[in-house]
Amino acid sequence: MARKITYQQAINEALSQEMSRDPTVIIMGEDVAGGAGTDGEQEAWGGVLGVTKGLYKKFGDRVMDTPITESAFIGAAVGAATAGLRPVAELMFIDFMGVCLDQIFNQAAKFRYMFGGKAETPVVIRTMYGAGFRAAAQHSQCLYPVFTHIPGLKVVMPATPYDAKGLLIQAIRDNDPVIFCEHKVLYTLEGDVPEEPYTIPFGEASVVREGKDVTIVTLGRMVHMATDAADNLAKQGIKCEVIDLRTTSPIDEDTILESVENTGRLVVVDEAHPRCNIATDVSALVADKAFDSLKAPIKMVTGPHVPVPFSDVLEDLYIPNAAKIEAAVRSVMGKKG
Amino acid sequence: MQLSKADLLRAYRMMKTIREFEERLHVEFATGEIPGFVHLYAGEEASATGFCMHLDGRDKIASTHRGHGHSIAKGCDVDAMMAEIYGKKAGLCGGKGGSMHIADLDKGMLGANGIVGGGPPLICGAGLAAKVLKTGGVAIAFVGDGGFNQGTTAESLNLASVWRLPCLFVVENNGYAEATSSKYSVSCDDFTDRAAAYSMPGIAVDGHDFFAVYEAAGEAIKRARSGGGPSLIEVKLNRYYGHFEGDAQTYRGVDEVKNIRATKDCLMLFRKRVEGAKLVDAAELNKIDADVLAQIENAVKKAKAAPKPTAADLMTDVYVSY
C-alpha cells in the first residue's frame, strides 16, 4: 500500500528491506551509523544527513562505519563484491570521488571485461550530489557525467521517492557496479511510495508529463524544475513533454527519440556543468539519430562552466531554474522573450 | 614448519614453472610477437610460492603489474595464461586483459593490476567477505616496493587493522620501483618499520629462501585464519629483468643480476638445500625441470597457433546485463 514518505525515507526503506531479504547485503561508509568507538550513542548519525538512521540498530555489524579513507573502503566494497557480498557503500559526497576514483573506474568497472566476462561485481555506491545547500565548490557538484562516461558502470539518479526506492532495490539486486546518485535537496521531498519492495528496471525513462510541442529531457532535481516550467508554459498554450531519464547508463534512447520525433523540438536540462554532460550527450544523440525530425535548434539549460559558488546569490544564479527552462522552450518555439 | 616430500616437489615445480614461463616470455617478447607490456617475475618465485603453498579455494590474492608468478602459484591455467599474453581468444581473459590483467576469480586470483597500489583495498574487501561469510578464508595483497608507498596501501593497512581482517600485506621489495631505487623512494629502512603504525606484526624475510618465506607466510596466514588480524610481511628479493620487457636497465650495476643469479637464486638455493639434506633426489628435480620445459614449450606452441578474438568479441563482457 502506498503512503507518503520522503525520498530519504524511501532510500532507508529500500536498504532495510533488502538487508532483511538478503544477508549478503552490507552497508559501509563514513558515519553510516556514527558514534563507533565513542562512549556516547552508537548510532548517533545514521549517515551525515540521517539517511541510514535505524539500520545499525536493526542489522548491527552489517552496518559498518569506516575510517575517512575512501580509497580503502570503496575498494573494499568492490573487493567484497567479487567475493560473495553485495555491499552498499556510501561515498558521502560525489565530490569525494576524486580520492577513490581508481577503485571505481579502473577496478570495479573493468573487472568483467578485463577478465573475459568471468567477474561479477554487484556493488552499489550511493552518493549525494547537487547544488542548493550553500555547500560550495567541493560539496555541490553533479559529477554523474564522469561515471556515465565509463563502460562497466551503471548510473542512476532518482527524482522522486517512488523512483528512489524502486531503483535502489534494483541496484542492490543488480549484478553490475551501480553508482546511485541522490540529490541532497530532494531528501525531504515527499511522495507516494508502496510499502512492499518493488524494482524499477534500468534504462527505462519516465514520461512525467505528455505534450506535443516540445520535449524536455532531464534528470534528478531538474525534473521538478522542468515540470514547474511546463506548468507555466501550459498556461501560455505550449505543451511540453517532460522525460525523466532516471538512469544515464543505460540510457533510454528510444523514449527520447520517439518523443522528439513527435514534437520536433528538444530542450535538455541538466544541473551539471555544460561541457561533456548529460545535456550534450542527449543533444548529440538526437542530432545523430533524429535530426530530420527537428523543427528548431536544440537548446540546453545547464549549470555554467564555473565551480559551484558559496554565496546564496551566486549559487541561485548557478542552478538552472524554471524561468531559464521556460525561456529555452519559448526560444525553440520561436517566441521572443 | 615441516614439509612433506610431496610438498617439496610441489613447491619446486611451482617455482620452476614460474621461472620457465618468464624466461620463455623474455625470449618470445624479443621476437616482437607478444603485444603490449610484459613485466616478468623471474627471480621472485620463492615469494609467490612460499605464500600460495598455504592457500586453498577459500583464499584470495591480488597481484601487481608483475603478476604471472602469483597467478601460476594460485593455480591459474598455464596454457590459458600464455594464450592471454599472446592476446588470443582462448586466453584466460579471452584476450581482453593481457599480461597486466591476468585473473581467474574461480581460483581466487583477483587479478594482476595495472594500477600500482590497486590491490590492497580489494584485498580488504575479500578479507571482509571471508569474515562476514565465515568462510575461514584469508586474503593476500602482493604489492611491490613502489605500490607500498601508495596511499591506497596505507589506507588499507589501517582499515584491515581497524576491522581486524584476515588479510596479509606482502611487500615484495625487489629494490626498484620502475627505475627508482627503494633506497631513494622509501622513507624507512625496512617496510616492517611501518607495521607498528598499524598495530600489526611486521616480518622481514629473505625472499631468495623459499623455506624462510614459507615459514613466515604460514605463521601470518595461521594468525589471520584464527581471527588474529592482518600482518605486514616484507620479502626482500630481486628481479632478474627490467621493470618491463625492453627496459635497458642502465640504472642497474654491471654484473648485478649475474651475481645474484650465481649466489642467491631461489631455485638453486632450494635444490642445494633439499639435495644436501637428501630429502629429494636430484633426478626427481631434473625430471620436473624436463616436464616443465615441455609444458611451457607446449603452452607457447598452442598460444601461437590459437585464433585471436573476433569483432563479435569487442562489445561483449562489459556488463552482466545492460
Side-chain angles (χ1 to χ4, degrees), chain A residues 247-308:
Chain A
T247 65
T248 58
S249 182
I251 190 167
D252 184 352
E253 294 190 0
D254 292 347
T255 297
I256 298 168
L257 294 172
E258 277 167 30
S259 179
V260 172
E261 278 157 15
N262 288 332
T263 63
R265 297 179 185 91
L266 175 65
V267 171
V268 198
V269 185
D270 183 359
E271 188 183 323
H273 304 301
R275 302 294 313 283
C276 303
N277 64 6
I278 306 304
T280 60
D281 193 49
V282 169
S283 300
L285 169 76
V286 170
D288 185 31
K289 295 191 176 166
F291 188 80
D292 291 344
S293 305
L294 290 172
K295 299 174 195 161
I298 299 166
K299 282 280 174 196
M300 289 182 273
V301 181
T302 70
H305 192 63
V306 295
V308 180

Side-chain angles (χ1 to χ4, degrees), chain B residues 25 34 41 97 108 115 125 134 136 153 191 215 222 264:
Chain B
L25 277 180
I34 295 173
Y41 193 73
I115 305 299
K134 299 186 169 59
T153 305
F191 280 105
E215 181 134 349
K222 193 174 154 198
K264 292 184 174 179

Side-chain angles (χ1 to χ4, degrees), chain B residues 55-99:
Chain B
L55 304 183
D56 59 40
R58 300 168 292 175
D59 304 320
K60 316 281 184 192
I61 65 166
S63 178
T64 69
H65 279 46
R66 208 171 298 292
H68 306 162
H70 305 122
S71 302
I72 291 171
K74 195 66 174 74
C76 293
D77 183 78
V78 168
D79 287 352
M81 282 180 61
M82 192 64 84
E84 184 62 33
I85 291 164
Y86 273 85
K88 300 303 178 73
K89 188 173 165 76
L92 198 52
C93 306
K96 290 175 172 174
S99 167

